Amino acid sequence: NISASAIDTFEECRRKWWYGYVERIRGPKNESAQRGESIHDLAERYLKGEVDPDSLQGEDVKWWRYLKPGLQFAPTPEQVVDEDWGVENWVKEPCGPLRFVGKGDFYQLDLEVPTIDDWKSTKFVEWDYSKTPGQLRTIFQPRVYAYALLKDAPPEFVDFHHVNVQSRGKPDAMEVWARNVPWQSILDTWQEGIKVSEQM
C-alpha cells in the first residue's frame, strides 16, 4: 500500500521514505503531532455522533476546548447523517503497481461541486504553517482523495477545504478554501502518483 504521506515523504527524501515505510523504522512522535492526533480523533468521534460534549471526561475535555472553535466550519453530526457526509471512510484504489489507501477526514460528494475537507492543527498562533488557498489547490493529499472518491462519476470541479485549529494557547480556528479545482488537474496528479508508485 501507499498513502499520500508516503508519497510526500518519498519526494522529500527517498532514504527517509525507505526507513519509515519499508523498514518501518520511525522516530518517536513529537508533542505537537500527538496533540494534533488527539484533536483529530475527537473530531472524528464527534462527527460520527459518538461524543456527547456535555459528558466528556479526562483528556477529551482539554481537546474539546481546542476543537470547538473549528466546529463552526464543519457539519454537525445531524447533518453528517441527513446530508450523507463521509467521515473517515477508507478509500482504496490501484495506483500503478501499488495500491493507494487513505481516509478522508470528512467530505460531501453529493453536490454540484463536491468538497474534500481536512482537519489541521497548529501550535503557531499566527497560522504561519497553514496552507494558503493557492497552496491548498496544489497539494497532493486532497487531490488523490478526490480521484479515489469521484473517479466513477467525475465532476467538472472539486473544492478543497482545510479547518485549522490551534493545539495550544488560546483556542482558535480558521478555514481555508481552494474553490473550483479542475478535474483535469486531479487526473494529472493521479498520473504523477502512478509514476511515483512505479519508482517505489
Side-chain angles (χ1 to χ4, degrees):
N1 294 333
I2 57 173
S3 63
S5 60
I7 291 174
D8 286 340
T9 303
F10 184 85
E11 295 191 316
E12 173 193 345
C13 175
R14 295 188 180 190
R15 186 184 300 271
K16 181 179 180 181
W17 166 80
W18 179 268
Y19 284 143
Y21 291 91
V22 180
E23 298 293 339
R24 300 288 181 177
I25 302 171
R26 301 184 184 182
K29 292 179 181 178
N30 61 42
E31 181 187 353
S32 293
Q34 291 174 339
R35 294 173 72 90
E37 285 187 8
S38 297
I39 294 170
H40 185 282
D41 174 71
L42 181 59
E44 175 185 352
R45 289 186 283 129
Y46 172 73
L47 292 184
K48 289 182 174 180
E50 299 170 358
V51 166
D52 176 4
D54 296 325
S55 301
L56 293 174
Q57 298 179 351
E59 288 282 285
D60 280 346
V61 175
K62 176 172 65 175
W63 304 130
W64 180 258
R65 287 184 60 243
Y66 290 106
L67 173 63
K68 189 175 180 180
L71 296 178
Q72 62 184 305
F73 306 124
T76 65
E78 293 74 23
Q79 287 174 315
V80 166
V81 174
D82 294 342
E83 300 172 13
D84 197 25
W85 284 78
V87 178
E88 293 287 348
N89 294 326
W90 284 101
V91 294
K92 301 177 182 181
E93 184 67 24
C95 184
L98 303 175
R99 181 177 66 166
F100 173 78
V101 176
K103 287 200 299 185
D105 287 355
F106 58 107
Y107 50 86
Q108 193 7 323
L109 306 183
D110 190 22
L111 297 170
E112 182 177 350
V113 179
T115 175
I116 307 295
D117 310 81
D118 203 3
W119 297 104
K120 297 294 179 184
S121 61
T122 179
K123 65 179 180 179
F124 297 98
V125 296
E126 298 299 325
W127 310 110
D128 293 339
Y129 288 85
S130 300
K131 301 296 183 186
T132 65
Q135 290 170 328
L136 181 52
R137 290 182 70 85
T138 62
I139 61 177
F140 192 83
Q141 185 181 44
R143 288 169 171 257
V144 292
Y145 285 146
Y147 177 84
L149 290 165
L150 293 162
K151 69 182 190 309
D152 293 331
E156 187 176 1
F157 299 100
V158 181
D159 288 344
F160 298 150
H161 180 220
H162 275 182
V163 178
N164 297 279
V165 298
Q166 296 285 15
S167 62
R168 77 172 59 200
K170 182 180 178 181
D172 197 6
M174 57 92 76
E175 62 178 344
V176 178
W177 281 94
R179 301 279 191 181
N180 295 323
V181 177
W183 182 255
Q184 183 58 54
S185 69
I186 291 170
L187 290 178
D188 293 343
T189 297
W190 188 259
Q191 291 302 313
E192 294 171 12
I194 289 175
K195 292 178 181 177
V196 174
S197 172
E198 291 168 347
Q199 293 170 358
M200 286 177 170

